[in-house]
Structure formats: C-alpha cells, structure tokens
Amino acid sequence: MLRGVLLDLAGVLYDGDSPIEGAADAVRRLREAGLPLRFVSNTTRSTKQMVLERLDRLGIEVDAAELFTPAQAARGWLAAHGCSAHLLIHPDLEPDFRDMPAGERLAVVVGDAANAFDYASLNAAFRALNDGAEFLALADNRVFKDDDGKLSLDAGPFVRALEFACGRPATVLGKPSTGFFLSALASMECLPEDAVMVGDDAEGDVAGALRAGLATALLVRTGKYRVGDERQVEPAPTAVVADITAAAEWILARI
C-alpha cells in the first residue's frame, strides 16, 4: 500500500511556463486522497522561491516545506561541514546561497550554470578543486528539455569534465542521490517501501528512486522522456504511464 508520493516538477507538472494538462487536478486528487506529497526538483536555474511562484501561477498549490531542491540540500551540507562555497551556478540561483556563514574550508558547488560554463569559470573551479576544495554537484543530469522544446546539456557533462580533470568524484546532492530522496521522505515520516516517485527522467528520477529503496517509481511519457528510455536503465520503472493524470490514477488504485 502506498502512503507517500514524490513528484518531479519540470516535465511532470509543467513544461517551461505551461502546465502539463491535468497536472493541477492530479495533485488535488492525490491530496484529497490523504496522501502526503513532496515535490523533488533538480532545477538549478531557479531559486526555491521562483519555483514556488511558478507553481502558483500554474494553479498548483505547494507549500515551501513540501518543495525540496538541490540548493537547499547544498546549504545544509555547507553549514554542516563548515565550508564556504565557490559557486559555479546559474546567476538566477545565487540568491539561494546568500547570507551563508564563512567556513574554514572551501567547497566548489556546481549546478547548471548555462552560459557561465566558460573556460575561465571551469578552470577556476578546477584550480580550487586541485587545491583541495570539496566537490559538490547540485545535480548530474545529462540533459534537460529546454524552453524551445529541444534537449540541452544539463550540469552532468560539466561535472564529469571536472571529475576527470581533478581525479575524484563529486558528491551529488540532488537526484539521483539516495540522501535527497530519503530526506524528502523523512519530512513526511514515510518509509521508502511505502513511497512512490513520479518522474520523466528514467535515470535520475526513476532508477535513482528505486536504488534509494522506494517501492515504486513511475516514468511519465512527458517532458524529457524519449521512446525506449525505460529500457536504458536498471532498475527499470515499475510502470510507464502517459502523464501525471495517468500516474495519479495508477497511485490512487493502490492506496
């Protein structure tokens, strides 16, 4: 029996500035069924407040405590480890890192920096890593669906380049990090075996959730989904469904 739901945002509830048909109604039906919801996004181009405002404009009501972002996880990591941040992120995300206390050590924080991924910024990050800075990746997705409807490079390829250069792996804070999923579940006191994840990324959302111990993960055929994605990952999705409406119906039949 399912007792908690994790929902991805981009590609599941909205595409760009447009809601995916039926998204608001699907969220409402899940809430009315008494299921606690958490919204787990790997967005690293928007602050948490910007994401909440977008959802509100689209008619999807989400409380700040229900939304989990990699930047939020990074702030917690930096504070817990006494580190200051060397940021290689999108300028729009910088407000989420304001007012951080100075730490005794340095950590390079990499997100989807878009046009800020130039040689100078990448080399500065590499030099900091080479000097011993900690290495944090907000996410390591390969691609995302851009505003023009086409796939674009996400943070993952640049994280891999820095890993290759400095010779050590990054600590990934967003999906598919097990800790990211478990933190969201802990906030609603839901065990992994009682939870379901809904996402459009077979690798980061679905396989990541299943590796984290979730009982169920549904892949929707919206957003960045491409035919055959479900055959490219292990563990494979529990089910592949048309969209968030179909996902909600699947979940509601199993509570």
Side-chain angles (χ1 to χ4, degrees):
M1 181 179 293
L2 297 174
R3 301 180 185 275
V5 182
L6 302 183
L7 297 174
D8 185 29
L9 295 181
V12 175
L13 300 184
Y14 57 75
D15 262 332
D17 290 324
S18 299
I20 288 177
E21 185 176 358
D25 185 61
V27 170
R28 177 188 58 77
R29 290 174 61 201
L30 292 170
R31 289 194 190 280
E32 289 179 350
L35 287 167
L37 307 180
R38 292 297 182 267
F39 300 82
V40 287
S41 173
N42 260 15
T43 182
T44 60
R45 286 193 180 187
S46 303
T47 64
K48 183 170 181 175
Q49 185 58 37
M50 290 167 64
V51 174
L52 290 169
E53 290 172 357
R54 170 180 283 187
L55 289 165
D56 184 64
R57 289 194 303 272
L58 299 177
I60 303 171
E61 295 185 7
V62 176
D63 186 85
E66 295 179 313
L67 175 61
F68 283 73
T69 67
Q72 175 183 343
R75 283 186 64 100
W77 193 100
L78 292 166
H81 291 80
C83 288
S84 296
H86 174 113
L87 298 175
L88 179 50
I89 60 174
H90 195 280
D92 287 349
L93 190 62
E94 291 177 1
D96 270 359
F97 289 92
R98 287 178 185 158
D99 304 319
M100 288 288 298
E104 295 182 359
R105 297 181 297 144
L106 187 66
V108 172
V109 180
V110 182
D112 175 14
N115 292 334
F117 278 135
D118 56 25
Y119 179 83
S121 61
L122 285 163
N123 198 49
F126 161 70
R127 288 181 172 180
L129 293 169
N130 200 47
D131 287 339
E134 298 289 338
F135 189 4
L136 305 180
L138 297 181
D140 67 350
N141 299 75
R142 301 172 191 270
V143 297
F144 70 100
K145 188 176 180 181
D146 217 328
D147 290 341
D148 61 3
K150 298 180 180 180
L151 295 182
S152 290
L153 290 173
D154 210 325
F158 301 95
V159 172
R160 293 291 179 273
L162 288 169
E163 287 177 333
F164 178 77
C166 73
R168 53 194 170 96
T171 297
V172 179
L173 298 175
K175 296 174 292 183
S177 164
T178 293
F180 192 65
F181 291 109
L182 296 185
S183 178
L185 292 177
S187 74
M188 55 182 180
E189 299 181 348
C190 180
L191 296 174
E193 56 264 32
D194 297 328
V196 56
M197 172 72 202
V198 181
D200 68 325
D201 186 326
E203 188 173 25
D205 294 334
V206 173
L210 293 171
R211 284 195 295 268
L214 274 74
T216 308
L218 306 180
L219 180 64
V220 294
R221 297 191 189 98
T222 53
K224 71 170 66 172
Y225 173 82
R226 294 296 180 267
V227 175
D229 281 355
E230 62 270 28
R231 297 191 294 273
Q232 306 301 316
V233 296
E234 183 62 38
T238 307
V240 182
V241 297
D243 53 21
I244 183 60
T245 297
E249 291 172 352
W250 195 98
I251 293 165
L252 292 171
R254 290 163 173 80
I255 61 174

